[in-house]
Amino acid sequence: MCGIVGCTGSMPVKKVLVEGLKRLEYRGYDSAGVAIQQDGALEVVHRVGKVAGLESELACRDLRGTCGIGHTRWATHGRPSTVNAHPHASCDGRIAVVHNGIIENFAELREQLQARGHVFASETDTEVLAHLLEEAYAECPGDLLTALRRALQHVIGAYGVAAVCADEPGVIACARKDSPIVVGRGKDASYVASDIIALIDATRDVVVLEDGQLARLTPESITYFDERGREIEPEITHVDWDVDLAEKGGYPDFMLKEIHEQPRVVRDTLAGRMVGGELSIDELGLSYEELNLIDRVYVIACGTSYHAGLIAKNLIERWARIPTEVEVASEFRYRNPIITPSTLVVAVSQSGETADTLAAIRDARIRGAKVFGITNVVGSPVARESDGVIYTKANKEIAVASTKSFLGQVVSLTLLALLLAQTKGRLTTAQVRLLFRELGDTAEQIERILHDTEAIDEAAYACKDAASALFVGRGIGSAICYEGALKLKEISYLHAEAYAAGEMKHGPIALIDDGFPVIAVATESPVYDKLVSNLKECEARGALIVAIATEGDEEIKKIARHVIYVPKVRDCFTPITASVPLQLFARAIALLRGCDVDQPRNLAKSVTVE
Ligand code: F6R
C-alpha cells in the first residue's frame, strides 16, 4: 500500500527520494509525489501512475533542495488523481505532509477546518493533517516537531506521517501510530521511510518507531520523542539483509525469483526445529501445560494466508484432533467468536501488519485467548502483539502475489500441527520424527518441480484465452485449489473459482462446456477415486482438464488433456508440492496475457487499512 520516504542531508535529495520510492513500488500504488525544500519555499510535484513518470517530470525541473519527502499512494479516500496524490500542503503552501494509514475522523476535522477558513485541494483524509499542522505551527513557530505532535492529538486513526516546512530548512518531523515508520542515519544524511527496504542503500542501523513516538531529522542528527514530547533513547535494529535480496538476481521478475527460493524457505523454516529427537518451537511462548490444555484453535488471516490456514485446519484436526476453525480476519473481528482461555488463536500474516488481522488479534486477546503469530517480518505488529511467534524465514517478498511466504506459512503451520499432536500424545515421537523428515524432503521435491516446467507452460498456453476457470480438489487438495484460483485471478485477471470437487454437481457444473478449463489437484490421496469420478463428469461435458497428478499416474491421462506431474509425497504434504506448479501456471498465464506479474493492478503488498 502507500509508501513514505524522506531525506535531509547536504546533497540534492531528488534522486534519493526517487530511488527510495522505486524500492517501495512492490507495495502497490497508483500515484506518487515529492515535496522538496528549495530557496525558502516548498516545491511539490505529484503524478498519477508509476514512479518512472514522476522521475521524468522531476528530471525536467531544476530542483537542488537537500531536504524532502516522497510518497507512493494507494487510493482509499478519493480516486487516484494528481490532486489526491501526496504530499499534501497547507493553505499557505509552507507545510507539506505524506501519510500512510487512515484518519477515521477526517470528515469531522475537515468540516471544522473549513469553518475556520481552510481551503482543501483534494478529497483525501490526509489533507486534514496539513491544515491541522498549519494551525499548530502558528502556535509554536520554528518547532515543526511540537506542531506535529499537537496536530496529531486531534486525529483518530492510524498514521505513519512525515512533514516538512519551508520555514525550517533541513528539518523533517515524523510520527507513527499503527502504521510503520523507520528512521536511520546514513553517511551524511538522515532518512525516514515506511519500510526498511527504502533505506538499505543508506544504512543498516535503523530505529523502528513505536506507536506514539516521533522523530526530528536534521542533516546532522536524529532526535526521538515520546507522545508527551519527552526526548527518548530508541532501540537500534541492525538489518543484515543483502541488497541483492531486493534485486531480481537474474530472474525476469520477482515472482519467479521468489518461487525458486522455496526449497530454501522449507530448509530454513525447519532448521533447528528437531532438538534431541523432539520437535521444538521455543518461540511459542506457551508452556507444555498450556499447550496441553488447548481444546480449540482458530486460525485467522486474510487472502493467501487464509488459505494456509485452511491447510492448517486439515493437519491440526488430522494429527492433534483439536477442533480448528479458519476464518478471514475481517469477519472474525466483528462476530463475537466463542473464545475461552483454552482457545489458541493462530494469526497468519506475511507482512505482519494487515489491519484486519491485527484487529482480530487484539480482539482475541481481550477475550482471553492465547495468540500465536506466524509472520515473515521480524518485529512486525503481528509479532509484537502475539504471545508467541514463528518467523517463516521466507525473507523479504517483493512480488505482490505471495508465493514463498505462503509456502513458509504452510511449513510453519505443519510444524505447529505436529507440535500440538506431540504434546497431546496423539502422535508418537517416532511418527513425528518420520513426518518431520518427510516434510524436509519436500525441499528437494520442489527443486525437481522447478527443474522441468514444460508441461505447466503448455497447460497455461491452452488456458490463456479462457474467460473463467474452476479449480477443484478433494480433502486437503481442495484447500490448495483456493490458493491456486486466487493466484490466477490476482495476477492474470482471469476469473477463477475453487470448489471442493464433490460440490460440482450441486451448481458449478452448469458452467462447463467445450474447452472450459478445470484445474484439478489430483494427487494420490484416499479420495483420489472420488475425485476422478467428479472429473469424468466434467470431461463428459467438454471441460479442458489440467491435472496436477502424482508421478507414475498414467490413468489420469485418460481424462486430463494436460497432466503436470509432481513427486510422490504423503497426502498431508501435497499442499507444499502441488502449490508450486499452480504458482507457475498462474504466472505463465499472466505473462501470456501481457500482465505485470509483480505488480498486479489494484493490489497492495501490505493491506494496512480495513
Ligand atoms: C495474495 C496475497 C494476499 C495476502 C493478504 C494478507 O497473493 O498476498 O492475499 O495474503 O493480503 O496479507 P498478509 O499475509 O500480509 O497478512
Side-chain angles (χ1 to χ4, degrees):
M1 290 201 131
C2 306
I4 290 175
V5 291
C7 175
T8 175
S10 52
M11 302 292 285
V13 81
K14 176 167 87 172
K15 192 163 179 292
V16 179
L17 295 182
V18 168
E19 291 308 315
L21 291 177
K22 283 185 180 167
R23 285 252 191 251
L24 295 173
E25 284 191 294
Y26 79 95
R27 295 174 72 91
Y29 67 103
D30 45 59
S31 52
V34 296
I36 296 176
Q37 291 179 341
Q38 170 116 330
D39 304 330
L42 291 181
E43 290 282 338
V44 179
V45 183
H46 33 211
R47 279 187 65 128
V48 176
K50 298 285 180 195
V51 174
L54 176 72
E55 186 177 21
S56 315
E57 177 139 358
L58 290 173
C60 311
R61 303 213 183 185
D62 177 27
L63 285 171
R64 287 155 282 106
T66 59
C67 172
I69 51 179
H71 192 262
T72 46
R73 171 176 188 254
W74 189 81
T76 55
H77 293 69
R79 73 210 144 82
S81 69
T82 304
V83 283
N84 286 336
H86 301 209
H88 290 291
S90 54
C91 296
D92 61 8
R94 301 204 54 83
I95 289 176
V97 295
V98 289
H99 161 237
N100 289 357
I102 291 214
I103 297 172
E104 287 166 18
N105 59 338
F106 90 96
E108 188 188 323
L109 289 171
R110 186 178 169 117
E111 218 169 89
Q112 293 164 4
L113 285 158
Q114 279 171 331
R116 294 200 289 271
H118 289 267
V119 178
F120 280 73
S122 78
E123 304 158 281
T124 64
D125 55 334
T126 299
E127 198 185 338
V128 298
L129 273 180
H131 296 283
L132 283 174
L133 194 47
E134 181 175 23
E135 287 192 350
Y137 196 72
E139 303 280 310
C140 54
D143 190 351
L144 185 64
L145 195 284
T146 301
L148 180 62
R149 190 170 59 77
R150 290 184 184 164
L152 290 172
Q153 285 164 358
H154 300 277
V155 166
I156 300 171
Y159 50 78
V161 58
V164 285
C165 174
D167 298 322
E168 285 188 51
V171 173
I172 300 175
C174 58
R176 89 159 257 176
K177 182 173 163 285
D178 293 334
S179 186
I181 286 286
V182 288
V183 180
R185 277 288 302 155
K187 205 161 140 269
D188 295 310
S190 302
Y191 298 84
V192 56
S194 53
D195 187 323
I196 293 170
I197 201 164
L199 302 187
I200 53 174
D201 286 333
T203 179
R204 295 308 170 90
D205 293 314
V206 300
V207 170
V208 181
L209 291 192
E210 299 278 339
D211 276 349
Q213 291 180 344
L214 302 96
R216 180 175 187 272
L217 285 68
T218 68
E220 297 80 28
S221 64
I222 305 176
T223 326
Y224 299 88
F225 302 88
D226 69 11
E227 57 200 325
R228 291 170 62 187
R230 294 173 302 200
E231 205 172 317
I232 49 168
E233 203 53 54
E235 191 184 320
I236 295 182
T237 306
H238 182 74
V239 182
D240 55 6
W241 306 339
D242 197 315
V243 180
D244 278 357
L245 270 181
E247 306 296 347
K248 290 182 188 151
Y251 289 93
D253 48 76
F254 283 112
M255 184 176 182
L256 189 62
K257 174 175 180 259
E258 289 163 1
I259 289 173
H260 277 258
E261 283 176 57
Q262 294 180 111
R264 183 209 39 85
V265 175
V266 175
R267 293 186 179 109
D268 286 359
T269 306
L270 295 183
R273 294 295 178 194
M274 196 50 89
V275 181
E278 292 270 317
L279 187 62
S280 133
I281 309 180
D282 287 346
E283 319 89 292
L284 200 59
L286 295 180
S287 66
Y288 172 85
E289 288 73 26
E290 284 173 312
L291 272 182
N292 208 11
L293 276 180
I294 290 166
D295 60 7
R296 181 197 290 260
V297 177
Y298 278 108
V299 184
I300 50 171
C302 305
T304 285
S305 303
Y306 168 78
H307 299 148
L310 294 177
I311 293 158
K313 171 184 166 69
N314 185 299
L315 298 181
I316 295 172
E317 293 191 338
R318 180 191 298 222
W319 289 331
R321 309 300 298 157
I322 306 175
T324 301
E325 288 187 46
V326 192
E327 192 156 356
V328 286
S330 52
E331 290 297 320
F332 180 90
R333 62 184 289 198
Y334 289 117
R335 78 159 181 91
N336 195 9
I338 301 166
I339 286 180
T340 69
S342 50
T343 303
L344 175 67
V345 170
V346 182
V348 188
S349 173
Q350 182 283 126
S351 61
E353 57 183 37
T354 299
D356 283 319
T357 309
L358 267 174
I361 290 176
R362 289 169 191 158
D363 183 63
R365 291 192 71 177
I366 289 169
R367 291 166 186 272
K370 290 279 177 206
V371 177
F372 187 64
I374 296 196
T375 180
N376 195 32
V377 180
V378 177
S380 59
V382 164
R384 290 201 305 225
E385 298 199 23
S386 300
D387 295 293
V389 65
I390 295 185
Y391 288 113
T392 48
K393 309 281 172 62
N395 288 342
K396 192 83 190 169
E397 190 172 64
I398 306 279
V400 167
S402 190
T403 54
K404 61 175 180 169
S405 293
F406 169 73
L407 209 91
Q409 291 167 348
V410 172
V411 174
S412 303
L413 287 161
T414 306
L415 282 179
L416 181 65
L418 285 174
L419 185 84
L420 290 170
Q422 175 179 282
T423 312
K424 294 266 181 194
R426 299 280 188 184
L427 289 179
T428 63
T429 309
Q431 284 171 318
V432 172
R433 277 187 212 152
L434 177 66
L435 288 165
F436 182 86
R437 204 180 62 230
E438 290 182 18
L439 178 59
D441 291 344
T442 60
E444 196 253 320
Q445 284 148 352
I446 298 171
E447 275 162 359
R448 280 177 50 205
I449 295 168
L450 294 173
H451 189 68
D452 180 8
T453 58
E454 206 179 315
I456 300 171
D457 293 336
E458 281 170 12
Y461 192 79
C463 299
K464 71 177 182 8
D465 297 321
S468 186
L470 281 174
F471 284 66
V472 298
R474 296 189 75 129
I476 206 163
S478 67
I480 308 165
C481 289
Y482 288 99
E483 177 55 10
L486 175 63
K487 218 77 309 170
L488 182 60
K489 63 186 144 197
E490 70 180 325
I491 60 168
S492 74
Y493 319 140
L494 192 164
H495 173 254
E497 292 303 327
Y499 269 92
E503 278 290 288
M504 287 298 285
K505 46 182 165 302
H506 300 289
I509 201 162
L511 290 170
I512 309 286
D513 61 5
D514 265 354
F516 187 100
V518 173
I519 322 304
V521 174
T523 45
E524 223 173 82
S525 83
V527 282
Y528 174 82
D529 292 339
K530 304 277 175 211
L531 175 73
V532 168
S533 306
N534 300 138
L535 292 180
K536 280 186 178 149
E537 289 157 7
C538 296
E539 194 228 354
R541 288 159 180 83
L544 187 168
I545 295 177
V546 175
I548 313 288
T550 305
E551 275 170 3
D553 178 358
E554 292 298 318
E555 274 307 294
I556 198 78
K557 287 187 178 159
K558 293 185 187 150
I559 43 173
R561 277 192 238 172
H562 294 269
V563 181
I564 299 165
Y565 284 113
V566 292
K568 184 176 166 65
V569 292
R570 208 184 276 266
D571 171 41
C572 52
F573 298 134
T574 46
I576 297 173
T577 49
S579 42
V580 178
L582 291 180
Q583 295 164 349
L584 290 165
F585 177 72
R587 175 181 171 274
I589 293 194
L591 290 175
L592 288 166
R593 290 164 74 101
C595 302
D596 179 341
V597 294
D598 284 341
Q599 290 176 39
R601 69 183 179 207
N602 302 340
L603 291 180
K605 184 68 186 160
S606 171
V607 184
T608 50
V609 295
E610 189 178 338

